[in-house]
Amino acid sequence: MLIEYKKLLKNKNFYLSLFLLILIVVIAVFIGVNTHKEEYQLLERIYEKNATVLSLISPHKQWIGFSSASNFASSLYYFFFPAIISIALVDSIYREKRSGNQNYLFMRMNRKKYYTIKFATTYITAFLLFVLPLLLGVILINLFTNHWDYAAYATSYKQLVEGTIILPDDAFKGDILDLFSDFLITSPYVYMIFYYVLGGLFASGYICMGLALSMFIKNHYLVIFMPQIIYIACWGLLTALGKPSWDPFNLISPRQSLEQLSVTAIIVTFLLQHLLAFAIYFIGIRRNRDVL
């Protein structure tokens, strides 16, 4: 696996993917910080510096994936991450097969080890490429808003869920989440870690599915964009069927923009995605067993 990471670090496409992801995060942070300041100043005037209200105007709502659709960069990250991560990872088997380097590698290690290392390296790296830029976004938002302690928000949110909080109006009732409210009550950090890890696992599933399909596809550009194509196809199909709450695009979004989201949908979709990736990969290995 160490050899695979050495090859990855020599791949210019890896740095291109990382640069694009970080660029989107930086843009989202810039928009988010300004949005938070404007919202805080506005509501501070409207509610006459009501401390309870202001505790609910939390900077964590501007973390990437948490912010509203008005932060286009945040939405962009969650919509195009399969294509951006694929640039670095999804064509590794395809390139080695086309260059003939795969035959040389098969003389140094057995096929099972080669394909196992390829899958594991791709899975782990895709996870890190998805999660690490998002964590950078959290740090930058906290840094620029000078806000690191979210205990006051967690306390107010708990009271909001329980209906014991005293507010001037019902403006914040829409903040109550259908899923995993207990995580948010504990801390926005706990909620963030859960959703970023969930998104990272789904990202790995999509990229590994693309890696598996690369053993069947002869067009390099199609190989690169296959995870994005699958991602968009799932969104379009499930929307057309009236089941958007089963679409991974909505399931991995921390802001939970849809109703009727469920833990069952997350588990079933996750298992199906990964089983399909494993199945296609296994079939691809058998299909290419004639390679030395």
Side-chain angles (χ1 to χ4, degrees):
M1 190 174 290
L2 182 60
I3 295 174
E4 283 299 313
Y5 278 113
K6 286 182 178 179
K7 287 191 288 186
L8 184 66
L9 292 175
K10 293 179 181 178
N11 185 356
K12 293 180 180 179
N13 287 339
F14 170 75
Y15 297 101
L16 176 60
S17 291
L18 190 59
F19 170 76
L20 291 174
L21 291 169
I22 292 176
L23 177 63
I24 294 173
V25 166
V26 170
I27 296 171
V29 167
F30 177 79
I31 296 171
V33 169
N34 285 305
T35 300
H36 169 72
K37 288 181 178 178
E38 291 171 2
E39 182 181 4
Y40 192 92
Q41 290 170 0
L42 175 63
L43 295 183
E44 188 178 37
R45 291 195 299 269
I46 292 175
Y47 293 103
E48 299 177 345
K49 299 184 179 181
N50 185 310
T52 305
V53 170
L54 294 179
S55 69
L56 293 170
I57 315 300
S58 174
H60 89 272
K61 293 181 179 180
Q62 302 304 325
W63 292 344
I64 290 81
F66 286 69
S67 53
S68 66
S70 61
N71 190 334
F72 76 92
S74 178
S75 300
L76 196 68
Y77 191 100
Y78 271 81
F79 196 79
F80 285 112
F81 73 82
I84 299 174
I85 297 175
S86 291
I87 294 171
L89 298 172
V90 80
D91 64 343
S92 61
I93 292 177
Y94 177 90
R95 285 186 289 105
E96 289 179 355
K97 184 178 179 181
R98 290 294 296 270
S99 67
N101 193 41
Q102 193 179 64
N103 292 333
Y104 170 72
L105 291 169
F106 282 161
M107 289 189 288
R108 298 182 60 190
M109 68 177 75
N110 62 55
R111 287 163 44 85
K112 182 179 179 181
K113 183 178 180 181
Y114 171 83
Y115 285 114
T116 300
I117 290 174
K118 279 290 183 186
F119 194 95
T121 302
T122 301
Y123 194 94
I124 294 169
T125 308
F127 178 87
L128 294 176
L129 279 174
F130 179 87
V131 172
L132 293 181
L134 294 177
L135 294 179
L136 174 64
V138 170
I139 293 170
L140 291 176
I141 290 284
N142 289 358
L143 184 64
F144 289 126
T145 59
N146 194 28
H147 195 112
W148 299 88
D149 185 359
Y150 291 95
Y153 174 84
T155 300
S156 295
Y157 181 76
K158 180 181 180 182
Q159 295 173 348
L160 183 66
V161 171
E162 295 173 346
T164 58
I165 195 169
I166 299 175
L167 294 170
D169 52 40
D170 296 333
F172 291 94
K173 281 195 173 180
D175 286 3
I176 300 176
L177 301 174
D178 293 331
L179 296 179
F180 310 117
S181 267
D182 288 344
F183 293 162
L184 203 52
I185 287 171
T186 302
S187 172
Y189 288 117
V190 174
Y191 183 82
M192 173 269 293
I193 290 170
F194 173 81
Y195 262 100
Y196 282 1
V197 168
L198 178 67
L201 293 174
F202 269 97
S204 296
Y206 279 114
I207 303 305
C208 285
M209 197 179 297
L211 182 73
L213 288 169
S214 72
M215 290 187 277
F216 300 88
I217 300 170
K218 296 182 179 180
N219 185 287
H220 187 224
Y221 293 104
L222 187 57
V223 168
I224 295 294
F225 287 105
M226 187 52 65
Q228 186 69 42
I229 292 170
I230 296 170
Y231 189 55
I232 294 176
C234 289
W235 172 74
L237 178 61
L238 290 167
T239 300
L241 293 174
K243 299 289 184 180
S245 59
W246 282 76
D247 174 31
F249 176 77
N250 295 311
L251 293 177
I252 65 174
S253 173
R255 67 188 180 96
Q256 297 187 29
S257 56
L258 290 180
E259 296 180 354
Q260 299 179 336
L261 296 171
S262 69
V263 176
T264 300
I266 293 173
I267 294 173
V268 171
T269 305
F270 175 82
L271 291 177
L272 284 175
Q273 183 207 43
H274 281 65
L275 286 173
L276 187 58
F278 280 121
I280 297 172
Y281 197 66
F282 180 74
I283 294 170
I285 293 172
R286 291 183 62 84
R287 183 176 181 270
N288 290 273
R289 64 180 180 271
D290 58 322
V291 179
L292 291 177

Short mmCIF file of all heavy atoms in Angstrom, two decimals, residues 186-217:
data_model
loop_
_atom_site.label_atom_id
_atom_site.label_comp_id
_atom_site.label_asym_id
_atom_site.label_seq_id
_atom_site.Cartn_x
_atom_site.Cartn_y
_atom_site.Cartn_z
N THR A 186 -25.88 17.15 21.93
CA THR A 186 -24.59 16.88 22.58
C THR A 186 -23.58 17.96 22.21
O THR A 186 -22.95 18.58 23.06
CB THR A 186 -24.05 15.50 22.18
OG1 THR A 186 -25.00 14.50 22.52
CG2 THR A 186 -22.72 15.22 22.88
N SER A 187 -23.44 18.18 20.89
CA SER A 187 -22.56 19.23 20.38
C SER A 187 -22.65 19.26 18.85
O SER A 187 -22.71 18.21 18.22
CB SER A 187 -21.11 18.97 20.79
OG SER A 187 -20.24 19.88 20.13
N PRO A 188 -22.63 20.45 18.25
CA PRO A 188 -22.55 20.52 16.79
C PRO A 188 -21.34 19.79 16.24
O PRO A 188 -21.36 19.30 15.11
CB PRO A 188 -22.46 22.03 16.52
CG PRO A 188 -23.21 22.64 17.65
CD PRO A 188 -22.85 21.79 18.84
N TYR A 189 -20.27 19.68 17.02
CA TYR A 189 -19.08 18.96 16.58
C TYR A 189 -19.39 17.46 16.40
O TYR A 189 -18.92 16.84 15.44
CB TYR A 189 -17.94 19.12 17.58
CG TYR A 189 -17.31 20.49 17.60
CD1 TYR A 189 -17.36 21.28 18.74
CD2 TYR A 189 -16.65 21.00 16.48
CE1 TYR A 189 -16.77 22.54 18.77
CE2 TYR A 189 -16.07 22.25 16.50
CZ TYR A 189 -16.13 23.02 17.64
OH TYR A 189 -15.55 24.27 17.66
N VAL A 190 -20.16 16.89 17.32
CA VAL A 190 -20.53 15.48 17.21
C VAL A 190 -21.38 15.25 15.97
O VAL A 190 -21.16 14.30 15.21
CB VAL A 190 -21.29 15.02 18.48
CG1 VAL A 190 -21.79 13.58 18.32
CG2 VAL A 190 -20.39 15.14 19.71
N TYR A 191 -22.34 16.14 15.77
CA TYR A 191 -23.21 16.05 14.59
C TYR A 191 -22.39 16.19 13.31
O TYR A 191 -22.60 15.46 12.34
CB TYR A 191 -24.27 17.15 14.68
CG TYR A 191 -25.28 17.15 13.57
CD1 TYR A 191 -26.38 16.30 13.61
CD2 TYR A 191 -25.15 18.02 12.48
CE1 TYR A 191 -27.32 16.31 12.59
CE2 TYR A 191 -26.09 18.04 11.47
CZ TYR A 191 -27.17 17.18 11.52
OH TYR A 191 -28.09 17.19 10.50
N MET A 192 -21.44 17.13 13.32
CA MET A 192 -20.59 17.36 12.15
C MET A 192 -19.74 16.14 11.83
O MET A 192 -19.66 15.71 10.68
CB MET A 192 -19.70 18.59 12.40
CG MET A 192 -18.64 18.84 11.33
SD MET A 192 -17.06 18.02 11.68
CE MET A 192 -16.52 18.91 13.14
N ILE A 193 -19.12 15.56 12.85
CA ILE A 193 -18.27 14.39 12.64
C ILE A 193 -19.07 13.24 12.04
O ILE A 193 -18.62 12.57 11.10
CB ILE A 193 -17.59 13.96 13.96
CG1 ILE A 193 -16.54 15.00 14.37
CG2 ILE A 193 -16.94 12.59 13.82
CD1 ILE A 193 -16.00 14.80 15.76
N PHE A 194 -20.28 13.02 12.57
CA PHE A 194 -21.12 11.94 12.05
C PHE A 194 -21.41 12.13 10.56
O PHE A 194 -21.22 11.22 9.75
CB PHE A 194 -22.44 11.86 12.83
CG PHE A 194 -23.41 10.89 12.22
CD1 PHE A 194 -23.31 9.52 12.46
CD2 PHE A 194 -24.43 11.33 11.39
CE1 PHE A 194 -24.19 8.62 11.87
CE2 PHE A 194 -25.32 10.44 10.80
CZ PHE A 194 -25.19 9.09 11.04
N TYR A 195 -21.85 13.34 10.19
CA TYR A 195 -22.25 13.56 8.80
C TYR A 195 -21.05 13.61 7.85
O TYR A 195 -21.16 13.16 6.70
CB TYR A 195 -23.10 14.82 8.68
CG TYR A 195 -24.57 14.48 8.66
CD1 TYR A 195 -25.35 14.61 9.81
CD2 TYR A 195 -25.18 14.01 7.51
CE1 TYR A 195 -26.69 14.28 9.79
CE2 TYR A 195 -26.52 13.68 7.48
CZ TYR A 195 -27.27 13.81 8.62
OH TYR A 195 -28.60 13.46 8.61
N TYR A 196 -19.94 14.15 8.31
CA TYR A 196 -18.76 14.18 7.43
C TYR A 196 -18.21 12.77 7.21
O TYR A 196 -17.77 12.43 6.10
CB TYR A 196 -17.69 15.09 8.02
CG TYR A 196 -17.96 16.57 7.81
CD1 TYR A 196 -19.11 17.02 7.16
CD2 TYR A 196 -17.07 17.54 8.27
CE1 TYR A 196 -19.36 18.37 6.98
CE2 TYR A 196 -17.31 18.90 8.08
CZ TYR A 196 -18.46 19.31 7.44
OH TYR A 196 -18.70 20.66 7.26
N VAL A 197 -18.22 11.95 8.24
CA VAL A 197 -17.79 10.55 8.10
C VAL A 197 -18.75 9.80 7.17
O VAL A 197 -18.32 9.05 6.29
CB VAL A 197 -17.70 9.85 9.47
CG1 VAL A 197 -17.55 8.34 9.30
CG2 VAL A 197 -16.53 10.41 10.27
N LEU A 198 -20.05 10.03 7.37
CA LEU A 198 -21.06 9.39 6.50
C LEU A 198 -20.83 9.79 5.04
O LEU A 198 -20.82 8.93 4.15
CB LEU A 198 -22.46 9.81 6.95
CG LEU A 198 -23.63 9.26 6.11
CD1 LEU A 198 -23.73 7.75 6.26
CD2 LEU A 198 -24.94 9.92 6.53
N GLY A 199 -20.63 11.08 4.80
CA GLY A 199 -20.36 11.54 3.44
C GLY A 199 -19.09 10.95 2.88
O GLY A 199 -19.04 10.58 1.69
N GLY A 200 -18.05 10.84 3.71
CA GLY A 200 -16.80 10.26 3.27
C GLY A 200 -16.93 8.81 2.87
O GLY A 200 -16.33 8.36 1.87
N LEU A 201 -17.74 8.06 3.60
CA LEU A 201 -17.96 6.65 3.28
C LEU A 201 -18.72 6.50 1.96
O LEU A 201 -18.40 5.63 1.13
CB LEU A 201 -18.72 5.96 4.41
CG LEU A 201 -17.96 5.83 5.74
CD1 LEU A 201 -18.86 5.26 6.83
CD2 LEU A 201 -16.72 4.96 5.57
N PHE A 202 -19.73 7.35 1.76
CA PHE A 202 -20.45 7.32 0.49
C PHE A 202 -19.54 7.74 -0.66
O PHE A 202 -19.60 7.18 -1.76
CB PHE A 202 -21.68 8.23 0.55
CG PHE A 202 -22.93 7.53 0.98
CD1 PHE A 202 -23.34 7.58 2.32
CD2 PHE A 202 -23.71 6.81 0.08
CE1 PHE A 202 -24.50 6.93 2.73
CE2 PHE A 202 -24.86 6.16 0.49
CZ PHE A 202 -25.26 6.22 1.81
N ALA A 203 -18.69 8.75 -0.42
CA ALA A 203 -17.74 9.19 -1.45
C ALA A 203 -16.83 8.03 -1.85
O ALA A 203 -16.59 7.79 -3.04
CB ALA A 203 -16.92 10.36 -0.95
N SER A 204 -16.32 7.30 -0.87
CA SER A 204 -15.47 6.15 -1.14
C SER A 204 -16.20 5.10 -1.95
O SER A 204 -15.63 4.49 -2.87
CB SER A 204 -14.97 5.54 0.17
OG SER A 204 -14.15 6.45 0.87
N GLY A 205 -17.47 4.88 -1.63
CA GLY A 205 -18.27 3.91 -2.37
C GLY A 205 -18.40 4.29 -3.83
O GLY A 205 -18.26 3.44 -4.73
N TYR A 206 -18.67 5.56 -4.11
CA TYR A 206 -18.81 6.02 -5.50
C TYR A 206 -17.50 5.89 -6.26
O TYR A 206 -17.48 5.44 -7.42
CB TYR A 206 -19.29 7.47 -5.54
CG TYR A 206 -20.77 7.63 -5.35
CD1 TYR A 206 -21.29 8.26 -4.22
CD2 TYR A 206 -21.67 7.15 -6.31
CE1 TYR A 206 -22.65 8.39 -4.05
CE2 TYR A 206 -23.03 7.28 -6.14
CZ TYR A 206 -23.52 7.90 -5.00
OH TYR A 206 -24.87 8.03 -4.83
N ILE A 207 -16.40 6.29 -5.65
CA ILE A 207 -15.11 6.25 -6.33
C ILE A 207 -14.69 4.80 -6.59
O ILE A 207 -14.17 4.47 -7.67
CB ILE A 207 -14.03 6.99 -5.53
CG1 ILE A 207 -14.45 8.43 -5.27
CG2 ILE A 207 -12.70 6.95 -6.26
CD1 ILE A 207 -14.82 9.22 -6.51
N CYS A 208 -14.94 3.91 -5.63
CA CYS A 208 -14.59 2.50 -5.83
C CYS A 208 -15.49 1.85 -6.87
O CYS A 208 -15.06 0.93 -7.58
CB CYS A 208 -14.66 1.76 -4.50
SG CYS A 208 -13.25 2.11 -3.41
N MET A 209 -16.72 2.31 -6.97
CA MET A 209 -17.59 1.82 -8.03
C MET A 209 -17.03 2.23 -9.38
O MET A 209 -17.02 1.44 -10.35
CB MET A 209 -19.01 2.37 -7.85
CG MET A 209 -20.07 1.61 -8.62
SD MET A 209 -21.73 2.27 -8.35
CE MET A 209 -21.92 1.97 -6.59
N GLY A 210 -16.53 3.47 -9.47
CA GLY A 210 -15.90 3.93 -10.70
C GLY A 210 -14.64 3.14 -11.00
O GLY A 210 -14.36 2.80 -12.16
N LEU A 211 -13.85 2.83 -9.95
CA LEU A 211 -12.64 2.03 -10.12
C LEU A 211 -12.99 0.66 -10.69
O LEU A 211 -12.30 0.16 -11.59
CB LEU A 211 -11.93 1.87 -8.78
CG LEU A 211 -10.62 1.09 -8.78
CD1 LEU A 211 -9.51 1.92 -9.42
CD2 LEU A 211 -10.23 0.69 -7.36
N ALA A 212 -14.05 0.08 -10.19
CA ALA A 212 -14.48 -1.24 -10.67
C ALA A 212 -14.93 -1.18 -12.13
O ALA A 212 -14.56 -2.02 -12.95
CB ALA A 212 -15.62 -1.76 -9.79
N LEU A 213 -15.70 -0.15 -12.47
CA LEU A 213 -16.20 -0.01 -13.84
C LEU A 213 -15.08 0.32 -14.83
O LEU A 213 -15.23 0.08 -16.03
CB LEU A 213 -17.28 1.07 -13.89
CG LEU A 213 -18.61 0.69 -13.24
CD1 LEU A 213 -19.51 1.92 -13.10
CD2 LEU A 213 -19.32 -0.39 -14.04
N SER A 214 -13.96 0.85 -14.33
CA SER A 214 -12.85 1.18 -15.22
C SER A 214 -12.26 -0.06 -15.88
O SER A 214 -11.58 0.04 -16.91
CB SER A 214 -11.75 1.92 -14.45
OG SER A 214 -11.04 1.05 -13.58
N MET A 215 -12.55 -1.23 -15.32
CA MET A 215 -12.05 -2.48 -15.92
C MET A 215 -12.92 -2.93 -17.09
O MET A 215 -12.59 -3.90 -17.77
CB MET A 215 -11.97 -3.57 -14.84
CG MET A 215 -10.86 -3.31 -13.82
SD MET A 215 -10.59 -4.68 -12.68
CE MET A 215 -11.87 -4.36 -11.46
N PHE A 216 -14.04 -2.24 -17.31
CA PHE A 216 -14.94 -2.58 -18.42
C PHE A 216 -14.98 -1.49 -19.49
O PHE A 216 -15.41 -1.74 -20.61
CB PHE A 216 -16.37 -2.78 -17.89
CG PHE A 216 -16.50 -3.87 -16.88
CD1 PHE A 216 -16.31 -3.61 -15.52
CD2 PHE A 216 -16.81 -5.16 -17.26
CE1 PHE A 216 -16.44 -4.62 -14.58
CE2 PHE A 216 -16.94 -6.18 -16.32
CZ PHE A 216 -16.75 -5.90 -14.98
N ILE A 217 -14.57 -0.28 -19.12
CA ILE A 217 -14.72 0.90 -20.00
C ILE A 217 -13.39 1.20 -20.70
O ILE A 217 -12.33 1.17 -20.07
CB ILE A 217 -15.19 2.12 -19.18
CG1 ILE A 217 -16.54 1.82 -18.51
CG2 ILE A 217 -15.30 3.35 -20.06
CD1 ILE A 217 -16.96 2.87 -17.50
#
